[in-house]
Amino acid sequence: MSAKIVFIYILKTLGIIVGIIVVYALLGYLLPFIEVAAKEDGEKKEIPIYIYTNGVHTDIVMPVKNEIQDWSSKIPFSNTKSKETDYNYVGIGWGDKGFYLDTPTWADLKVSTALKAAFWLSESAMHCTYYKTMTEAEDCKKIMISQNQYRELVKFVDAKFDRDQNGNYILISTNAVYGNNDAFYDAQGRYSFLNTCNTWSNNALKSAGQRAALWTPTDYGIFLHYK
């Protein structure tokens, strides 16, 4: 094979890669504007949940305990550094284990982590963070939902956790927590550029019959519908 042919193949390959990136960027920007409307179930909206982003990962924040679900029985307070028990809310997000453990902010992102995450090459994890209070802001939006909608949300979130032989969530022993009030657990599924942590949170909102983007890889695509 001549050098000219090799060069042409290289150019074609680079062209395909650039084309995929451009199409992905366009879809990632445009598709979030297509809203999936909320589903009205006619029930009283009495349970507060929140969507919260740290600029990288979006969490679904729920009451620690009510008559429908006691998250503290599955995500023990003792698994956090503080071990305090007076928290009122728990934020849960799904994502790539490498991203979660090695990339708390975009400044910490490594090329190797990004490549593994983008192409289904690493495991996933659940990040669980306890909060005493929640304050609405640009990065935190409150949504009131019904009991039935909350049941569907709980079912969706609970199904993503990996379990041991006794049915318990599997704690990831690591010092790479973000603070004194969080912990990581093994999760099901593979992260990719098509299925990100924000895609999961967007789907969680859909499961509860709430407004959401048709598809989004970013937190912007979610918060766009909660301005």
Side-chain angles (χ1 to χ4, degrees):
M1 186 178 294
S2 67
K4 181 178 180 180
I5 294 176
V6 171
F7 182 67
I8 290 174
Y9 274 121
I10 292 174
L11 285 181
K12 286 184 177 179
T13 301
L14 289 175
I16 291 172
I17 293 174
V18 171
I20 290 173
I21 293 173
V22 170
V23 170
Y24 178 76
L26 285 173
L27 292 178
Y29 176 75
L30 294 174
L31 287 183
F33 284 96
I34 302 176
E35 181 174 291
V36 175
K39 297 178 181 178
E40 179 55 57
D41 62 1
E43 294 190 0
K44 182 180 178 181
K45 305 301 184 283
E46 55 187 313
I47 299 177
I49 66 168
Y50 297 82
I51 47 174
Y52 171 73
T53 179
N54 66 356
V56 180
H57 310 288
T58 305
D59 287 350
I60 301 296
V61 183
M62 298 164 284
V64 168
K65 182 179 181 180
N66 59 21
E67 61 271 24
I68 295 173
Q69 176 77 335
D70 178 4
W71 288 110
S72 64
S73 67
K74 298 191 173 192
I75 306 168
F77 297 122
S78 58
N79 285 343
T80 66
K81 281 186 176 180
S82 74
K83 304 189 186 307
E84 295 178 4
T85 61
D86 58 343
Y87 295 112
N88 297 308
Y89 300 94
V90 59
I92 301 178
W94 172 88
D96 178 79
K97 185 183 287 188
F99 252 119
Y100 269 138
L101 300 183
D102 303 327
T103 316
T105 68
W106 286 118
D108 300 299
L109 180 61
K110 301 175 184 176
V111 173
S112 59
T113 300
L115 289 176
K116 287 180 180 179
F119 298 105
W120 299 274
L121 296 176
S122 61
E123 298 176 334
S124 59
M126 306 298 286
H127 183 221
C128 305
T129 309
Y130 279 113
Y131 301 98
K132 294 182 179 179
T133 61
M134 297 300 298
T135 302
E136 285 195 89
E138 288 300 310
D139 60 356
C140 183
K141 300 297 181 179
K142 181 179 181 179
I143 309 168
M144 297 300 294
I145 65 176
S146 70
Q147 290 194 14
N148 278 340
Q149 289 171 334
Y150 187 62
R151 287 189 183 93
E152 291 302 314
L153 177 61
V154 167
K155 185 188 304 181
F156 179 90
V157 174
D158 179 68
K160 205 64 175 179
F161 283 86
D162 260 344
R163 291 171 168 78
D164 62 21
Q165 59 186 6
N166 296 316
N168 299 314
Y169 295 168
I170 302 172
L171 176 69
I172 298 173
S173 297
T174 177
N175 291 322
V177 291
Y178 296 177
N180 293 323
N181 56 333
D182 65 318
F184 291 96
Y185 295 82
D186 281 329
Q188 298 186 18
R190 293 279 183 174
Y191 184 103
S192 73
F193 66 95
L194 296 175
N195 187 32
T196 71
C197 55
N198 300 303
T199 307
W200 179 84
S201 294
N202 189 62
N203 289 337
L205 292 172
K206 290 180 184 178
S207 76
Q210 303 306 301
R211 280 177 290 147
L214 179 64
W215 173 80
T216 181
T218 67
D219 57 350
Y220 169 78
I222 298 174
F223 282 80
L224 176 67
H225 303 285
Y226 289 91
K227 288 184 177 180

